[in-house]
Amino acid sequence: MIRRMRFAFIASLLLAGGFCAAASAQTMEFACPDPGTTFTYDSGVKVVARGRSGMDCNMERLGGGPFKLRALLFDNPSADGNDATAFIAALRPERLWPLEAGRKIEASYKVGGGTWTYTLAVVRYERRTGPGDKMIDTFLIEMNETGDKGQRSISRWWIAPSDKFAIRYDFSDGAGKANRAVVTQITR
């Protein structure tokens, strides 16, 4: 009887320790992809990691130019060539790090006579299909954007800790616009 109770106690300690280890594994410290890593999107665009500078990952669009990726979320200059410095300074997305489900930040940004309110949240830690149709661990980050004239949009990033990069990005707004970018191949 005592032997059975001792075994049950030890088993419960090991089980509890396993849950604690799993929970602590579901955080991610900020890191940039290793220099030289190339990410190929479903559109054919290729992006190469070049290094790190604080909370910015130095990146380069092949056939394009260099840019900085703040907190693995926002590129500057943006893909359309616009300077996103003021926007990034207002949002301060680096406050979302380290990533952990439930973490949330809020910010507002004034531009063109309007005010926009942003909520960025680490929604959950999940397994999903990644490049090469492999199942990988990701953090789902959502950004809800609301304008003072009723405008709405949502952006989602799936950040893969193993690749230190967003392997998928989705966007949609209340006007019916939508786009996505999916990483289909990673070469190191």
Side-chain angles (χ1 to χ4, degrees), residues 37-48 62 131 165 167 181-187:
T37 304
T38 302
F39 299 90
T40 304
Y41 290 94
D42 56 347
S43 65
V45 170
K46 292 184 178 190
V47 174
V48 180
L62 293 182
F165 199 72
I167 58 148
V182 178
V183 173
T184 57
Q185 183 180 4
I186 301 170
T187 54

Side-chain angles (χ1 to χ4, degrees), residues 3 10 19 36 53 100-101 106 125-126 142-143 145-146 174 181:
R3 181 181 281 171
I10 291 171
F19 285 128
S53 179
E100 181 176 19
E106 296 179 353
Y125 186 79
E126 67 182 24
E142 287 185 354
M143 179 175 74
E145 178 179 22
T146 309

Side-chain angles (χ1 to χ4, degrees), residues 55-57 59 61 67-79 84-85 87-94 96-97 105 118-120 141-143 145 155 157 159 166 169:
M55 289 299 286
D56 291 327
C57 298
M59 308 295 288
R61 285 180 194 87
F67 65 97
K68 294 192 180 288
L69 185 62
R70 175 55 62 103
L72 294 179
L73 301 173
F74 300 101
D75 51 348
N76 190 24
S78 62
T85 303
F87 172 73
I88 291 169
L91 260 60
R92 297 187 351 244
E94 59 274 9
L96 202 56
W97 291 85
I105 62 170
Y118 296 87
T119 302
L120 282 95
I141 298 173
E142 287 185 354
M143 179 175 74
E145 178 179 22
S155 297
W157 295 262
I159 306 285
Y169 169 78

